Amino acid sequence: MAGERLAQGLKGLADERVDHRFKALPPDAEGRTVGRLAAERRNLFRDGFTTPVLALSAESVAHNLALMETYAARHGLAFAPHGKTCMAPQLFARQLEHGAWGITAAVPHQVRVYRHYGIQQIFLANELVDAAALRWLAGELAADPGFRFVCYVDSLRGIELMDTALREAGATRPVDVVVELGAGEGARTGVRTETECLELADAIAGVDTLRLVGVAGYEGEVPDATPERVTAWLRRLVALAVEFDRAGRFADLDQIVISAGGSAWFDAVAEVFAEIPALTAPPLKLLRSGAYVSHDDGHYREVTPFNRVPEEGTLQPAFRLWAQVVSRPTPEQAFLNAGKRDAAYDLHLPRAQVVRSGRDGTWRPADGVTVTGLSDQHAWVRTERAGDLEVGDWVGLGLSHPCTSFDKWQLIPLVEQDGTVTDFIRTFF
């Protein structure tokens, strides 16, 4: 049933009409369905797309999906990729096809999107204290016995709010929760000490609306992270699970959830989770990395664990933002028609990679071309030579940070290496 719901949801995306809401699509495609436009297999550069246009490499996405499936299987990890990166049901479906246990969310809106598309296993990497969201969740759990939902707890007040809202909603199934161990002083969310974790476990045991199923956290928040510090924190997380289990806090569970894993330290997660001792129930070693699906040409290219373990494989950057030169006021200065509304800029500025001639369509490396700043709708570009760019040229930009790249585009062309557009990825932010 869940598979049918997802398939029906994806069909609904293909049946959506193309119109003014979607940036960069060919003006003559107005009124076509997304599915029909994809079936036309237009060329990104010659068949009516306007700039700026964000493209997602079909080959790189396929490579990255397969690589992380293989990595997780090799290390005995379950995988719930963080969906907040892309918020794209089509990519969720492909992640599930590649062995994902479920999808991770950060906020209630994302959980609602996932459920609309039939996602049956959701890990919410946050404490859920919104009464309206908890009422909705109680209804979802009651209506679908096959729906599995897990979320963080990290405060006594949070447990109180959850219990109150769920009781008032007449919840018929307890909500599965994991105690979040904070990554250290000055880190983000999570309980700072093991003593506080035990207090939370006691409080959960005192209500019948919640069920303690494990422990979790985010090693990406370890202060001044080094392999040694990250590994030490992960071992604290495992030790907490072992302590809870020995105290009988996981009685009658089929699995004990132990979850961590962003996109920068999943090699350390794999190493430490391989050391988990025998527990009273099998551990669900749940990895939550999300940025891998598109990877990038900046931050994640620098921090990916595959740099430390190259024998495990290499992720490929899948994004390229194409913009046109619209002004060339001096030999040293050019302006592109893409800016903060189109490109991620919170970690690094876009990087000019290639130039496609506006005269004859030939490609050349973007040597001597540097993006120095972004306005709302312009990229400021410095050039070394007068002949590096001219008005009308297309410039292909590499981006840094997938999360703030996806969220600027509602419909993203999926493009093969020769420029053929094979599909359009719909996002929900």
Side-chain angles (χ1 to χ4, degrees), residues 49-312:
F49 289 86
T50 63
T51 56
V53 57
L54 182 65
L56 196 59
S57 164
E59 293 88 354
S60 294
V61 168
H63 169 86
N64 295 343
L65 288 166
L67 178 61
M68 285 304 291
E69 177 184 22
T70 300
Y71 183 88
R74 181 184 300 127
H75 292 280
L77 300 170
F79 193 26
H82 211 318
K84 57 94 176 172
T85 296
C86 63
M87 285 305 296
Q90 293 146 291
L91 296 181
F92 298 162
R94 294 182 64 179
Q95 289 169 320
L96 294 170
E97 290 168 0
H98 281 271
W101 170 91
I103 306 294
T104 296
V107 293
H109 156 71
Q110 294 167 359
V111 179
R112 289 187 62 200
V113 172
Y114 299 1
R115 287 300 290 158
H116 179 80
Y117 288 93
I119 305 301
Q120 284 295 93
Q121 300 199 117
I122 298 173
F123 186 100
L124 179 66
N126 242 329
E127 189 167 61
L128 182 58
V129 296
D130 187 307
L134 286 161
R135 288 194 297 270
W136 172 83
L137 176 62
E140 285 291 299
L141 289 168
D144 185 354
F147 173 35
R148 178 86 192 275
F149 175 86
V150 182
C151 73
Y152 283 174
V153 293
D154 82 342
S155 67
L156 292 172
R157 175 61 173 158
I159 292 169
E160 177 187 358
L161 289 169
M162 294 180 75
D163 178 54
T164 298
L166 291 167
R167 282 189 291 104
E168 291 177 351
T172 59
R173 289 174 57 191
V175 171
D176 287 349
V177 296
V178 290
V179 170
E180 183 195 4
L181 178 66
E185 290 302 320
R188 202 164 58 190
T189 57
V191 180
R192 285 345 193 211
T193 69
E194 280 75 1
T195 298
E196 293 172 287
C197 290
L198 294 172
E199 292 175 353
L200 294 188
D202 288 339
I204 295 165
V207 300
D208 58 9
T209 55
L210 304 177
R211 182 176 71 151
L212 180 63
V213 298
V215 299
Y218 176 47
E219 77 292 337
E221 281 290 310
V222 170
D224 302 317
T226 63
E228 294 75 20
R229 288 174 177 164
V230 170
T231 296
W233 177 83
L234 286 163
R235 288 188 171 135
R236 281 183 63 199
L237 183 70
V238 170
L240 180 63
V242 171
E243 183 176 359
F244 278 0
D245 189 46
R246 288 175 178 167
R249 297 185 184 276
F250 298 139
D252 302 322
L253 292 183
D254 295 328
Q255 290 179 316
I256 297 169
V257 178
I258 306 176
S259 180
S263 295
W265 294 102
F266 54 74
D267 57 332
V269 174
E271 179 181 344
V272 174
F273 280 13
E275 303 169 356
I276 295 174
L279 304 173
T280 56
L284 180 71
K285 305 173 185 180
L286 196 60
L287 184 68
R288 306 192 309 271
S289 312
Y292 80 99
V293 70
S294 67
H295 199 47
D296 73 4
D297 280 296
H299 178 71
Y300 286 102
R301 183 181 67 180
E302 296 170 1
V303 305
T304 176
F306 288 118
N307 291 338
R308 294 186 291 273
V309 286
E311 67 277 7
E312 298 263 20

Side-chain angles (χ1 to χ4, degrees), residues 328-334 382-388:
R328 194 73 163 96
T330 73
E332 298 80 26
Q333 186 73 65
R382 183 180 67 247
T383 57
E384 295 180 0
R385 298 166 293 273
D388 287 338

Side-chain angles (χ1 to χ4, degrees), residues 11-30:
K11 181 180 182 302
L13 294 179
D15 290 340
E16 191 168 12
R17 296 283 175 179
V18 171
D19 58 25
H20 61 278
R21 293 171 295 164
F22 304 119
K23 297 192 290 186
L25 299 191
D28 67 353
E30 179 90 13

